[in-house]
Amino acid sequence: MRESPPVLMSILSANEQHSPMTRSRTISVFRHCVEALYVVKDQHPQAAKEAAGNVLPAWPDAFKVPLNLDPQQDISGEHWDGLEIRIRIFRTMETVHTSLPRVLTPYLPAYVTAAFHHLQALYPTFVAYYPTDSVAVPNSSEGEPIELYKLITLLVDFVTGTTRQSKARVAFDEGTLF
């Protein structure tokens, strides 16, 4: 896990060099690394603690960059590739929160706020495409389906799961959500 994340991080941050679909796959690889770390943490507690302390914290910071971009830009074109990045980020944050919650705790208020912002920004598009099925949902540039409902479901699940902790409730207490 020491060598891969810097390479993965460089791919994720290279917007001009790599497609959103390629960049989203790096997030999935990272998520699988977190899952593997969780599996071995009982057998190798020191190595897991070192990896969690040295490698993992860079990722929530890196995820803030694409999440701070307006989600409307991902649904304004012919393909919704950028949504796949957001889907995989929130899926990964859910995995980190479940597997290694201390790593994510300092970031929870910002991510809960981002999740609510995404829900608000994407709601009109969701209503236009899903309840009526009157318009076909665009695929990715690679022909893969990009399902907005998956992102909406992940956002709701993430907010529900994380706000059970007092650290994430700060987003509600500070009135930063709306």
Side-chain angles (χ1 to χ4, degrees):
M1 196 156 157
R2 286 182 188 254
E3 296 301 320
S4 304
V7 172
L8 294 175
M9 187 78 68
S10 68
I11 293 170
L12 176 64
S13 62
N15 300 2
E16 303 301 320
Q17 293 177 320
H18 300 286
S19 73
M21 297 303 289
T22 298
R23 293 173 46 233
S24 72
R25 289 181 186 107
T26 65
I27 298 166
S28 288
V29 171
F30 170 70
R31 188 180 88 245
H32 292 300
C33 291
V34 171
E35 290 168 345
L37 185 62
Y38 178 72
V39 168
V40 301
K41 78 176 187 175
D42 290 336
Q43 291 124 354
H44 305 283
Q46 188 56 36
K49 184 177 180 179
E50 183 180 319
N54 296 331
V55 177
L56 294 182
W59 285 86
D61 282 331
F63 291 159
K64 286 181 183 179
V65 174
L67 291 182
N68 285 334
L69 299 174
D70 183 6
Q72 288 289 323
Q73 75 183 18
D74 292 338
I75 55 175
S76 63
E78 180 181 347
H79 302 289
W80 289 4
D81 294 5
L83 283 184
E84 190 65 24
I85 293 172
R86 296 168 194 275
I87 289 168
R88 293 189 190 201
I89 286 174
F90 277 102
R91 184 174 288 143
T92 300
M93 289 295 93
E94 183 67 30
T95 299
V96 173
H97 181 258
T98 302
S99 305
L100 306 161
R102 285 190 213 127
V103 172
L104 195 57
T105 298
Y107 302 96
L108 287 178
Y111 277 101
V112 168
T113 301
F116 271 105
H117 172 71
H118 280 64
L119 286 168
Q120 286 179 311
L122 297 171
Y123 177 75
T125 304
F126 178 78
V127 169
Y129 280 89
Y130 287 95
T132 62
D133 282 337
S134 61
V135 182
V137 177
N139 285 330
S140 74
S141 58
E142 298 174 355
E144 297 176 22
I146 303 290
E147 305 290 349
L148 179 57
Y149 75 87
K150 286 183 185 176
L151 178 57
I152 300 298
T153 303
L154 283 167
L155 293 169
V156 170
D157 289 348
F158 180 79
V159 169
T160 303
T162 58
T163 55
R164 289 184 182 131
Q165 290 185 345
S166 61
K167 301 288 185 194
R169 288 189 196 136
V170 171
F172 290 101
D173 296 339
E174 294 175 353
T176 59
L177 295 178
F178 302 104

